[in-house]
Amino acid sequence: MDYLVNLSLVKPVPELDARMERAGVTIRRALAPEFELVTGWVREKFGSGWASEMAVSFARQPPACFLATRTQKLIGFACHESIARGFFGPTGVDEAARGEGIGHALLLASLLDLKVMGYGYAIIGDVGPSAFYERTVGATPIPNSKPGVYAGLLNSAD
Ligand SMILES: CC(C)(COP(=O)(O)OP(=O)(O)OC[C@H]1O[C@@H](n2cnc3c(N)ncnc32)[C@H](O)[C@@H]1OP(=O)(O)O)[C@@H](O)C(=O)NCCC(=O)NCCS
C-alpha cells in the first residue's frame, strides 16, 4: 500500500539535528563522485532493485538522495523522485546503526527537499514499516493505492 505525507506539516526538527550531531552523524546530499561507492553499498545491503532506484535518484541534478555518514563511512541513505515524481524511497540504515533517529533524519531531509521542489504532498510507495512513517511524519495510507507503481515489477527470482 502507498502512504501520503502532507508536506505543509513537515518542518525541520532541531532536536533531531542536535541528536545527529551528538551521535557524530552527518546527513547530507549525495555527491556525484560517490555514485559507485553508494550504489555498491546499497546493492550489498539491500539488493539490486534498491541500488537501481538509488541510481535514478543519483542521476538527477542535484542528486535526489541523501546520505548518513559517521567517521567518513556510509551508514544510511534515502532517495526521492526515483520510481515516480513526488515519491519518497527507498531508504535504509545499516542494521548496526538503527534506532538512533538516523532513518527519521534522512526521511526529513528528502521530504523537505520535495517540499522545496514545490510538492504539497509526498507519496511513499509500497510501504514496508508503516509504523515508522506514521510515527515520524504522520503518514496515512492512501485508499485504493494497490496495485501501485511497482505492479508487475520483474524480479530476478521469477
Ligand atoms: C526503516 C528504517 C530506515 C528506520 O531507520 P532507523 O534509523 O532505525 O529509524 P529511527 O531510529 O529514525 O526511528 C524513528 C522512529 O521510528 C520508529 N521505528 C523505526 N523503525 C521502525 C519499524 N520498522 N517499525 C516501527 N517503528 C519503527 C522508532 O522506534 C522511532 O520511534 P521513536 O522516535 O518513538 O523512538 C530502518 O529500520 C531500515 O533500514 N529498515 C530496513 C529497510 C526498510 O524497511 N526501509 C523502508 C522501505 S519503505
Side-chain angles (χ1 to χ4, degrees):
M1 202 166 198
D2 296 342
Y3 273 62
L4 193 68
V5 181
N6 181 352
L7 294 177
S8 308
L9 301 175
V10 174
K11 308 246 155 57
V13 178
E15 310 86 70
L16 189 59
D17 296 341
R19 193 175 168 198
M20 292 302 100
E21 201 170 329
R22 280 198 304 277
V25 175
T26 300
I27 306 287
R28 63 159 174 82
R29 194 183 294 277
L31 295 165
E34 297 167 328
F35 176 80
E36 293 215 357
L37 185 153
V38 173
T39 49
W41 186 88
V42 173
R43 184 178 302 107
E44 182 198 321
K45 307 263 179 196
F46 299 101
S48 63
W50 285 18
S52 301
E53 287 189 87
M54 161 56 93
V56 169
S57 71
F58 224 113
R60 297 188 180 273
Q61 179 63 277
C65 50
F66 285 86
L67 307 180
T69 68
R70 180 153 50 196
T71 58
Q72 288 287 100
K73 291 271 184 322
L74 182 59
I75 54 170
F77 76 99
C79 304
H80 52 287
E81 295 276 274
S82 180
I83 187 74
R85 290 186 197 261
F87 273 60
F88 170 80
T91 185
V93 172
D94 194 286
E95 251 183 279
R98 289 182 194 166
E100 296 185 54
I102 298 167
H104 186 183
L106 284 165
L107 172 63
L108 275 187
S110 267
L111 293 181
L112 289 168
D113 204 39
L114 284 167
K115 188 171 175 174
V116 167
M117 290 166 85
Y119 291 102
Y121 293 84
I123 296 163
I124 304 164
D126 198 17
V127 162
S130 50
F132 166 68
Y133 295 107
E134 286 162 3
R135 188 184 298 233
T136 52
V137 291
T140 51
I142 302 176
N144 233 357
S145 60
K146 231 177 151 153
V149 285
Y150 288 94
L153 187 70
L154 292 175
N155 186 322
S156 56
D158 293 340

